[in-house]
């Protein structure tokens, strides 16, 4: 089959790799119908040293079950399924607590002999626990929206949930990428009254307004902080959803959060030192967040897509064939595309 491999920074190739096969009775083989490029894929794309053992790329996909192992009982050939961005057994103590990213038997796509999600097919470990059946056909117009359940919608929702966003809340979302826009959707779903989106790419912030942002702040740094405080009677918002992962973003979060408020960080962190000093300690700020256990949220969020209440698939602003995926990486890295949809 054809699959996406990363050999070095700026060196993405689509090559022939071994077809996926059942290796464990709990496995399934899924033919991929849709996948996409994630913002977190851009970090290795910009920094991976040259290697003779290329990295198999992709962790967001949906597709059709082609084959199942003897211990797979909830899925059958022909089922349309979506996969969260890590696989898990959905039975261990962590999974039962809704923390599937800490599954005792789970792991990541594209490593340790597991296929990536940017290819024609993939082997899915713990298929019963990992895959969620979709009540649509493989030609459904809802597939791009449902694909967001694999990662970005659940990640934005995790930001809002861990921050404790509730009815009537004031929220600042930092970052106008796909996860930030999903956080806007999620804050609105949870009843936030004021949603301030901090971003300066107008096409993205316009989409954010469609998703529920009540205000947009394009300024950054001290000017951005001042503008948010101007919009909140000088206080800042009770909840801040940090969806970037850079140190400037977390610093901005502390600047716009209200005393006694909560910052939830879900942007993949590209730094180690969090600037949480004595002055912020004295403000009784809560810092939370982390990697989203997408599997825990898929069935909760799916009905909002199926009934047309939300349309998160609008974040896909470019569609490419698998063989063109290198152009997709370049376009996202150069900010020419928000999020690229891949049709194998």
């Amino acid at each position: 089959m054809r699959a996406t491999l990363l050999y070095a920074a700026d060196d993405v190739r689509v090559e022939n790799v071994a077809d996926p096969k059942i290796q464990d009775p709990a496995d399934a083989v899924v033919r991929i119908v849709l996948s996409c490029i994630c913002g977190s894929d851009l970090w290795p794309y910009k920094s991976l040293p040259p290697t003779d053992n290329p990295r198999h790329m992709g962790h967001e996909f949906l597709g059709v079950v082609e084959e199942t192992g003897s211990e797979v009982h909830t899925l059958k050939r022909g089922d349309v399924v979506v996969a969260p961005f890590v696989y898990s057994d959905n039975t261990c103590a962590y999974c039962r607590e809704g923390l599937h990213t800490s599954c005792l038997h789970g792991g990541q796509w594209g490593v340790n002999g597991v296929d990536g999600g940017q290819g024609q097919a993939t082997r899915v470990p713990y298929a019963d626990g990992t895959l969620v059946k979709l009540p649509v056909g493989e030609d459904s117009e809802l597939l791009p929206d449902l694909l967001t359940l694999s990662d970005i919608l659940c990640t934005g929702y995790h930001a809002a949930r861990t921050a404790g966003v509730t009815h009537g809340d004031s929220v600042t979302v930092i970052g106008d990428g796909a996860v930030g826009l999903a956080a806007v959707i999620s804050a609105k779903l949870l009843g936030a009254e004021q949603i301030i989106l901090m971003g300066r790419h107008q096409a993205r912030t316009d989409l954010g307004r469609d998703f529920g942002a009540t205000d947009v702040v394009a300024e950054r740094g001290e000017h951005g902080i001042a503008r948010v405080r101007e919009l909140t009677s000088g206080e800042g918002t009770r909840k801040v959803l940090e969806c970037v992962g850079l140190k400037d973003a977390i610093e901005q979060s502390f600047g716009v959060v209200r005393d006694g408020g909560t910052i939830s960080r879900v942007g993949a962190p590209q730094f180690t030192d969090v600037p949480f000093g004595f002055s912020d300690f004295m403000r009784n700020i809560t810092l939370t967040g982390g990697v989203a256990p997408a599997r825990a949220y898929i069935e909760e969020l799916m009905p909002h897509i199926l009934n047309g209440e939300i349309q998160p698939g609008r974040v896909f602003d470019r569609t490419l064939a698998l063989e063109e995926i290198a152009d997709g990486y370049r376009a996202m890295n150069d900010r020419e595309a928000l999020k690229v949809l891949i049709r194998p």
Side-chain angles (χ1 to χ4, degrees):
M1 71 167 183
R2 304 287 281 172
T4 304
L5 304 177
L6 181 64
Y7 278 84
D10 300 319
D11 187 3
V12 176
R13 310 178 198 175
V14 178
E15 296 185 343
N16 291 324
V17 300
D19 291 340
K21 299 182 184 301
I22 300 295
Q23 298 181 18
D24 183 274
D27 289 349
V29 173
V30 172
R31 170 173 54 86
I32 295 175
V33 174
L34 285 183
S35 63
C36 56
I37 301 172
C38 184
S40 63
D41 291 330
L42 299 181
W43 297 116
Y45 174 74
K46 292 186 287 190
S47 63
L48 185 73
T51 177
D52 293 327
N53 297 301
R55 179 171 175 171
H56 289 241
M57 298 299 291
H59 54 261
E60 300 166 273
F61 64 92
L62 58 75
V64 177
V65 175
E66 293 291 316
E67 186 181 359
T68 58
S70 60
E71 293 181 6
V72 176
H73 303 296
T74 64
L75 301 166
K76 65 183 186 303
R77 179 180 173 86
D79 285 344
V80 180
V81 292
V82 65
F85 65 87
V86 297
Y87 62 85
S88 60
D89 62 20
N90 204 26
T91 60
C92 79
Y94 288 114
C95 289
R96 293 196 302 271
E97 294 172 10
L99 198 61
H100 297 74
T101 43
S102 294
C103 177
L104 295 172
H105 305 108
Q108 298 181 22
W109 304 106
V111 296
N112 299 322
V114 178
D115 302 298
Q118 291 168 0
Q120 293 178 315
T122 190
R123 177 178 69 89
V124 178
Y126 301 102
D128 278 338
T130 299
L131 298 172
V132 178
K133 185 176 177 180
L134 300 173
V136 298
E138 65 174 288
D139 58 350
S140 171
E141 293 181 354
L142 291 176
L143 289 191
D145 296 300
L146 293 166
L147 177 60
T148 66
L149 294 168
S150 186
D151 186 343
I152 62 163
L153 181 58
C154 294
T155 297
Y157 190 66
H158 186 61
R161 278 282 298 268
T162 54
V165 174
T166 189
H167 184 75
D169 241 336
S170 59
V171 178
T172 297
V173 175
I174 296 182
D176 58 8
V179 170
L181 295 174
V184 171
I185 292 173
S186 301
K188 184 178 181 182
L189 276 178
L190 292 172
E193 182 175 309
Q194 182 181 32
I195 304 172
I196 301 171
L197 174 60
M198 300 194 77
R200 55 184 183 182
H201 303 89
Q202 186 174 347
R204 301 181 181 191
T205 57
D206 285 350
L207 185 55
R209 288 187 186 275
D210 288 348
F211 286 160
T214 56
D215 304 278
V216 169
V217 172
E219 298 90 343
R220 292 185 178 180
E222 293 302 321
H223 294 292
I225 292 169
R227 179 61 181 145
V228 171
R229 292 192 170 272
E230 180 183 339
L231 291 168
T232 55
S233 303
E235 293 184 352
T237 56
R238 293 182 179 273
K239 310 293 165 55
V240 178
L241 314 183
E242 191 276 286
C243 303
V244 179
L246 297 177
K247 193 170 185 179
D248 289 349
I250 198 70
E251 290 174 343
Q252 195 154 266
S253 300
F254 280 103
V256 300
V257 70
R258 182 182 185 273
D259 285 17
T262 301
I263 299 168
S264 178
R265 54 190 298 229
V266 296
Q270 305 303 305
F271 60 96
T272 55
D273 298 328
V274 177
F276 198 160
F278 186 76
S279 61
D280 292 318
F281 171 79
M282 290 297 291
R283 296 171 61 203
N284 279 294
I285 294 168
T286 297
L287 181 62
T288 185
V291 62
R295 181 63 183 82
Y297 299 135
I298 290 175
E299 286 147 317
E300 178 181 351
L301 291 169
M302 189 190 305
H304 297 288
I305 293 173
L306 297 175
N307 68 16
E309 183 180 357
I310 60 174
Q311 296 177 303
R314 293 178 64 192
V315 300
F316 296 112
D317 57 349
R318 186 171 299 189
T319 300
L320 296 174
L322 178 61
E323 299 295 333
E324 302 172 303
I325 199 167
D327 291 335
Y329 273 85
R330 180 198 55 76
M332 283 183 60
N333 188 60
D334 294 346
R335 301 296 177 89
E336 295 174 6
L338 169 57
K339 192 166 179 69
V340 175
L341 189 69
I342 302 297
R343 293 187 180 273

